[in-house]
Amino acid sequence: MSTGRPTLADVAVAAGVSVSTASLAFSGAGPIAAATRDRVLAAAADLAYPGPNPLGQQLRTGRSGIVGAIFGDRLRRSFRDPVSIQMLDGLAQSLGAHDIGILLIPSEAGDVPPLVAHAAMDAAVVVLCNGPDDAVVAALARRGIPVVLVEGDLGAPTERDGPAGRVPASHPTARVGIDDRRGTEALVRTLRALGHERFGVVALPFGHDRRLGEPDPARDPRSGYLATRRRLAGIADAGVVPEIVIETPASLVEHGRSAGHEILSRPDPPTAIIALSDLLASGVVLAARELGLRVPEDVSIAGFDGLDLPWLAPDVLTTVRQPLAEKGRQAGEAAIALIAGVPFPPVILPVQYEQGTTTAAPRAASHSNG
Amino acid sequence: MSTGRPTLADVAVAAGVSVSTASLAFSGAGPIAAATRDRVLAAAADLAYPGPNPLGQQLRTGRSGIVGAIFGDRLRRSFRDPVSIQMLDGLAQSLGAHDIGILLIPSEAGDVPPLVAHAAMDAAVVVLCNGPDDAVVAALARRGIPVVLVEGDLGAPTERDGPAGRVPASHPTARVGIDDRRGTEALVRTLRALGHERFGVVALPFGHDRRLGEPDPARDPRSGYLATRRRLAGIADAGVVPEIVIETPASLVEHGRSAGHEILSRPDPPTAIIALSDLLASGVVLAARELGLRVPEDVSIAGFDGLDLPWLAPDVLTTVRQPLAEKGRQAGEAAIALIAGVPFPPVILPVQYEQGTTTAAPRAASHSNG
DNA sequence: CTGAAAGCGCTAACAT
DNA sequence: ATGTTAGCGCTTTCAG
């Protein structure tokens, strides 16, 4: 041992056994006499040996015991959103049960962070991805790291080998998502049944190029975040063409508030506003209150997610609840399966419409042209 | 190469150079002819070699490139608190600049998570600690992992070798905190200058045994979270003995709301309520509104942190602002210094009183006994 | 049940 | 500027 921290070899010498036996004493992965084990552990305690060095184990076993969690945004923004947090909590639960750690990788606006390219991990969970040509997913695939896509997809396998051509169809991949398209559709149908005909939409970001305002008409509708696209598709499925859509740079109360002002300050605003997240919706509620509009008498407002929003009291937001922690747990299970080389079939979790106090029948007959 | 993923040795063979030269081509840590390097990189591209295996690097260099971030609470709670998030964001900034990853380690109520005992990390940032006898810190010290204490301390070196005796004074340790004691004192002095004499306090958790209600009088005042203790000390420094103190299990709006109800429903409630965090304070504001009390006319409410609370509009919370991201950045710098073997002197960041709309002079003469 | 030997993939002296 | 050599600390066949 001479210098530095003691190693397994030092312990073996001190205990008068071979290194392999000492290893067994710690791992329990093989037959060993109780007396021998105790002797080894005693020697370890003597030397203040803190247990097998994980670096040695990892190289030997080829496993780091780490799963990367990659968020398509910087922490400050992602993590102010309880949606990411609850998902992460579920993820920590299922991975923690297997003693697997979570390596936090914020990824600013679609770049490929060095950690994605170089950090040791056995699998990665990518929380938002930009469709078939996501550079982060491509980088992981190149490294042979299994990928779990949460709320994302890579398109049909045939597309993947196209010009982007970066994720071979054979690469271990799993998908965990929610049925947000049909959830949004159900929500909008309920609003129509109440008599609403004129809708405004406050949307989640369309893609990594985040902005606040009406969407760029020149943008490719086939690119960008799939969650946003699916929820917009759900609105269309319900037969609604919104009078106005405001894209926001992130799911945050303040952006919902700005968008709400934008929509509700218009001469003849829509009678119902659908926000694609609860945080955005609650910002719209605040904007309405600030403009002296009563909710839901003057305007109906609905969200998506099913968060607890105690500060909206006495109002309770009408929303579509998604099982956030369960989504994270499933993502963790998917990662564990892929690491073990077992395929993990796609999971689509159900969502549920929840009536609150922020939606009601529109006040009076509305007219579609001012 | 035969089977499996290619290694540096395969690349070397393909490029017709030695392994060490191939290594140099990737690391750039030594002299190499441009032509040779290009040849190596070309061979690597040919073999679809994704770059040096981090596991090999790590064993060889003895560095994992990972810093553990340990929160004294489960994710669900910690991460709903923007305070933790902004700190984490700052941490990610400074560590990210050195390509160091953050391993997320939630630690339920003071236990020692397996990851703390076994995961590879070059240093650890412990966000709340329970004073001199914190088991997590002791476990890290045993492993020889440098520790950065955020908002924590281990007491005087002499104490450390006491009965707990688990963190040798020589263990590489750094401290990053804020001047919360004096910040709270300044806040309370301002309230007193306005004429307030009767105070209620909504406190952060006292320790890992979290509860809602009046603090257990039997508890040892010398144990538990130091941030809570310091802020309470600041109140005392200002010459105030609160009429009532409510301890909360976490810094969350709903707990502030419960505590607010508890205090404000009393027969003759205090004229000023000091919450030890903004989230708690905003819950108290909600409780006041629900009880039909006007803020600040009927009751003054102040917080601590300096968060953006858009949904409190039109009110702006009176608070003491702390530099959260900077705290995280400093913690990151401290970790980097300790990893390099350089001592990092303790950092106490300044805080600043910020007047909002939730505090004012008390309504009328108050009487201290009903 | 225990020991000997091999090697995971890489980097860093040192020698050329 | 390149090659040779020697491990980092551990687990895991395989013999005994």
Side-chain angles (χ1 to χ4, degrees), chain B residues 23 36 48 73 76 84 166 192 206 208 241 244 252 259-260 280 285 295 297 326 334 352:
Chain B
S23 176
T36 315
D73 197 357
R76 185 174 322 190
S84 311
R166 289 179 291 200
R192 286 191 69 186
F206 278 49
H208 289 321
V241 177
I244 176 170
L252 294 179
L280 290 173
V285 171
V295 178
E297 290 84 354
E326 178 62 18
Q352 196 184 347

Side-chain angles (χ1 to χ4, degrees), chain A residues 49 51 70 90 112 134 137 149 171 182 196 212 231 268 295 309 312 315 336 353 355:
Chain A
Y49 176 69
I70 298 153
V112 178
D134 192 287
V137 176
L149 300 166
H171 188 72
R182 292 215 300 181
H196 290 277
L212 178 66
R231 292 180 200 179
D268 186 25
V295 179
L309 302 169
L312 221 51
D315 276 316
I336 290 163
Y353 172 78
Q355 174 74 50

Side-chain angles (χ1 to χ4, degrees), chain B:
Chain B
M1 55 166 265
S2 57
T3 178
R5 307 187 64 76
T7 74
L8 195 53
D10 300 323
V11 175
V13 169
V17 299
S18 74
V19 206
S20 54
T21 302
S23 176
L24 259 39
F26 284 97
S27 69
I32 186 173
T36 315
R37 190 188 47 235
D38 292 348
R39 197 146 39 87
V40 172
L41 296 180
D46 242 33
L47 296 175
Y49 176 70
N53 182 332
L55 263 29
Q57 297 182 301
Q58 288 172 196
L59 176 58
R60 177 61 231 223
T61 60
R63 291 232 149 78
S64 63
I66 285 178
V67 167
I70 298 153
F71 290 81
D73 197 357
R74 62 180 313 163
L75 288 184
R76 185 174 322 190
R77 264 190 298 199
S78 280
F79 283 17
R80 274 173 66 188
D81 186 351
V83 170
S84 311
I85 303 317
Q86 290 185 48
M87 224 248 9
L88 202 58
D89 190 53
L91 190 65
Q93 271 178 42
S94 48
L95 293 180
H98 293 247
D99 280 11
I100 294 178
I102 297 177
L103 183 69
L104 217 55
I105 308 184
S107 133
E108 189 119 14
D111 63 350
V112 179
L115 289 172
V116 166
H118 303 302
M121 44 191 156
D122 300 333
V125 174
V126 178
V127 171
L128 269 182
C129 91
N130 227 346
D133 48 21
D134 192 286
V136 167
V137 176
L140 292 165
R142 253 173 41 81
R143 293 183 58 192
I145 295 172
V147 175
V148 179
L149 300 166
V150 176
E151 298 300 332
D153 201 347
L154 296 173
T158 51
E159 286 182 70
R160 290 191 223 166
D161 298 316
R166 289 179 291 200
V167 181
S170 62
H171 186 75
T173 304
R175 270 165 290 139
V176 175
I178 56 174
D179 195 0
D180 38 6
R181 181 164 181 169
R182 293 216 300 182
T184 309
E185 182 188 351
L187 172 76
V188 176
R189 285 202 188 281
T190 308
L191 286 168
R192 286 191 69 186
L194 284 171
H196 290 276
E197 295 177 348
R198 301 174 45 242
F199 292 83
V201 169
V202 177
L204 290 168
F206 278 49
H208 289 321
D209 51 330
R210 289 147 180 267
R211 50 204 300 284
L212 178 66
E214 304 195 42
D216 181 0
R219 81 186 312 283
D220 178 3
R222 298 163 45 87
S223 74
Y225 297 138
L226 292 150
T228 308
R229 288 156 64 189
R230 279 196 304 269
R231 293 180 199 178
L232 289 175
I235 295 173
D237 289 348
V240 162
V241 177
E243 291 192 356
I244 176 170
V245 175
I246 300 287
E247 174 186 359
T248 60
S251 178
L252 294 179
V253 175
E254 50 259 47
H255 294 313
R257 190 155 154 247
S258 305
H261 274 284
E262 172 94 19
I263 295 179
L264 292 171
S265 306
R266 307 187 130 207
D268 186 25
T271 63
I273 299 184
I274 302 154
L276 299 193
S277 83
D278 279 359
L279 248 35
L280 290 173
S282 59
V284 177
V285 171
L286 296 177
R289 286 181 185 167
E290 286 165 21
L291 291 169
L293 295 170
R294 286 173 310 162
V295 178
E297 290 84 354
D298 298 323
V299 60
S300 284
I301 299 170
F304 192 105
D305 283 335
L307 301 182
D308 251 15
L309 302 169
W311 38 269
L312 221 53
D315 276 317
V316 176
L317 192 65
T318 294
T319 191
V320 176
R321 180 179 299 274
Q322 62 163 315
L324 286 165
E326 178 62 18
K327 197 163 75 174
R329 255 177 259 127
Q330 291 285 341
E333 296 301 337
I336 289 163
L338 294 184
I339 291 172
V342 178
F344 192 88
V347 169
I348 305 287
L349 297 169
V351 298
Q352 196 184 347
Y353 171 78
E354 288 198 359
Q355 174 74 50
T357 63
T358 58
T359 50
R363 177 162 214 152
S366 60
H367 41 278
S368 53
N369 43 10

